[in-house]
Amino acid sequence: MAKKSKKQQKQQQLGGTPATVALTTAGVPHTLHSYDHDPSHPSYGEEAAEAMGVSPDRVFKTLVADVDGTLTVAVVPVAGSLDLKALASAVGGKRAAMADPALAERTTGYVRGGISPLGQRKKLRTVLDASATAHTTICVSAGRRGLEVELSPTDLADLTTATLAPIARP
């Protein structure tokens, strides 16, 4: 049997995902929302909003893009889509494209549909859509399908050292 890393041991002690462990360790107030994930639903984010009864403007999806050869996390409302040109501009880049899903999973340590901006295996540059600041709290993936975390956008930006920028389009 493989020996667990210190990070895995801590995660097991605290229970949960790397995202929830990061929140607990940082002492950030948050609320977890769990729901039964339906693999046939066409959109992970819309499914989360529906299951929680929360406006899609307050539920944010975590997308991984490649900006000039550097993986970058974009956190945008599920009600909209990512503006790749705006993302590149927000980080001083020229070109952005969606990252290969397998590379995004390997790099973050999460599966597609469960990628959280928190507790990633490798800390990536993060941009949070500026619309998040219009809400007292927002919801993002807590690190697995069917689990969301609600927290203040300020706390999310602080924990991820995110840049705030208008990167979403309706």
Side-chain angles (χ1 to χ4, degrees):
M1 181 164 28
K3 187 175 178 187
K4 292 184 179 181
S5 70
K6 286 185 180 185
K7 185 176 180 179
Q8 288 170 322
Q9 290 171 0
K10 184 174 185 177
Q11 182 178 327
Q12 186 174 13
Q13 289 171 345
L14 292 173
T17 66
T20 60
V21 170
L23 287 164
T24 302
T25 301
V28 171
H30 63 281
T31 304
L32 287 177
H33 298 277
S34 183
Y35 60 92
D36 291 328
H37 166 62
D38 175 4
S40 68
H41 199 288
S43 166
Y44 297 115
E46 288 175 13
E47 176 190 24
E50 291 167 10
M52 294 186 301
V54 174
S55 166
D57 292 337
R58 280 191 48 230
V59 179
F60 282 63
K61 55 190 169 187
T62 306
L63 304 170
V64 181
D66 179 320
V67 180
D68 297 335
T70 301
L71 289 182
T72 303
V73 172
V75 185
V76 298
V78 301
S81 60
L82 173 61
D83 181 334
L84 288 165
K85 191 172 184 176
L87 175 64
S89 177
V91 296
K94 293 182 180 165
R95 290 183 46 106
M98 293 307 297
D100 173 70
L103 178 60
E105 289 179 344
R106 237 183 358 265
T107 304
T108 64
Y110 294 117
V111 297
R112 201 169 64 117
I115 294 178
S116 177
L118 301 159
Q120 295 178 355
R121 181 177 289 150
K122 179 180 179 190
K123 187 171 172 76
L124 300 175
R125 176 173 53 184
T126 301
V127 181
L128 174 60
D129 185 64
S131 69
T133 61
H135 307 286
T136 305
T137 60
I138 61 171
C139 298
V140 296
S141 174
R144 69 174 166 80
R145 297 172 187 152
L147 187 64
E148 293 281 309
V149 63
E150 183 176 352
L151 73 165
S152 84
T154 304
D155 285 339
L156 178 62
D158 289 347
L159 281 173
T160 59
T161 62
T163 300
L164 285 169
I167 58 167
R169 59 178 173 228

